[in-house]
Each structure stands twice: as C-alpha cells, then as structure tokens.
Amino acid sequence: MHFWKYMFSDNRLFCSSATACKSIYFLAFFLVVAGCQPPEDQHPDINLTWQIEPDPPGVGMAALHIILTDSTEQRLAGAEIKLEGNMSHPGMKPFHATMDEVEPGKYAADIEFTMGGDWFFLVESTLPDERVLEHQVNVPGVRSQ
C-alpha cells in the first residue's frame, strides 16, 4: 500500500492519505520542538555560581564574579572563561570579555551595561581537562539612571 505520493512538478510534496499527512506534520513539529529544548546539564559534577556588583546593577560599570566548583565543593582553578553579553531584545551589539582568575577557582570581569533592561551572559568555561561548560546568567531589570 502506498502511503506517500510525491509530485515534484510544482516542487511540492503531496500525501495520498490523511493519516500520512498527519504523520508528516507530527514528525516535523516534534523535530522543531526537540531542537528548541535547552541542552541537558553537560557536566553535572561542575557547579557555577555568580554574583554581580553592584546588586542590583544599573547603567554603567559593574563587576561579574564567577566561582567554579566540583561536586565536593572544591574550587576549580585554571579555567578559561569567556563571556558574551546581550540584551533580551534584538538590535544591541553583543560584547565579549575574558574573565581573569582573581583567586583559585574565582573569576572576575568588568562589564558595562550600556542601557537599562534585561541582560543575559553566555558563559563558556574551558576547564583544565579540556571539558567545556556552557551556562547562561540572566540579569533582569538593569536600572536606567
């Protein structure tokens, strides 16, 4: 039995049965939804905590601090951490920074909030064993001064 009937004269795909069409639409929907899910926790044995000063932040300079620890709460020294700062609405150019290790396992970077609103930082940490940890830090409600 033929469930599919392809007709390429108009560069379109036609189904010969309603069940086949529904199956195609369901599969396409599932693939789109599955592709939009956030990634699983890549390294559950690694913890990332962060703090921003001043808190709450306003337009201007601020300091972002990140601490990386393992599952036993021991700090992880020697990581390379890169930041990409963005606003939650389109139109703003993202900024990039590399964090400095100020103490073993504690990293800091000066950042500049150029306008008030909701910001987020994409944090990419490359650990000494070459594993890469990706994390998003959300900073809602940066004050306009």
Side-chain angles (χ1 to χ4, degrees):
M1 178 176 234
H2 296 289
F3 290 104
W4 312 83
K5 183 178 178 183
Y6 295 98
M7 303 179 84
F8 294 105
S9 61
D10 294 337
N11 292 327
R12 289 188 267 172
L13 170 67
F14 293 93
C15 301
S16 60
S17 76
T19 302
C21 286
K22 289 178 185 176
S23 297
I24 290 172
Y25 292 131
F26 176 75
L27 180 61
F29 175 77
F30 175 76
L31 291 174
V32 168
V33 170
C36 294
Q37 297 298 317
E40 295 285 327
D41 191 6
Q42 307 131 341
H43 303 290
D45 59 325
I46 307 297
N47 298 310
L48 182 149
T49 56
W50 63 275
Q51 179 183 17
I52 196 158
E53 294 174 350
D55 186 14
V59 171
M61 298 303 293
L64 178 64
H65 300 276
I66 288 179
I67 296 176
L68 293 176
T69 56
D70 64 15
S71 59
T72 65
E73 299 298 319
Q74 295 296 311
R75 289 189 179 184
L76 296 174
E80 179 181 317
I81 302 180
K82 297 179 183 177
L83 296 176
E84 178 182 311
N86 295 281
M87 289 200 74
S88 60
H89 62 79
M92 292 293 293
K93 181 179 176 183
F95 74 90
H96 297 88
T98 300
M99 300 191 81
D100 297 318
E101 188 167 12
V102 294
E103 295 175 18
K106 184 176 182 177
Y107 305 84
D110 291 328
I111 54 177
E112 182 177 8
F113 292 108
T114 55
M115 66 183 305
D118 297 332
W119 287 76
F120 65 94
F121 297 91
L122 302 176
V123 180
E124 181 182 275
S125 306
T126 303
L127 304 175
D129 63 5
E130 300 299 320
R131 291 186 294 166
V132 176
L133 174 70
E134 294 176 340
H135 189 83
Q136 181 171 319
V137 171
N138 296 312
V139 183
V142 172
R143 295 173 288 123
S144 298
Q145 295 175 336

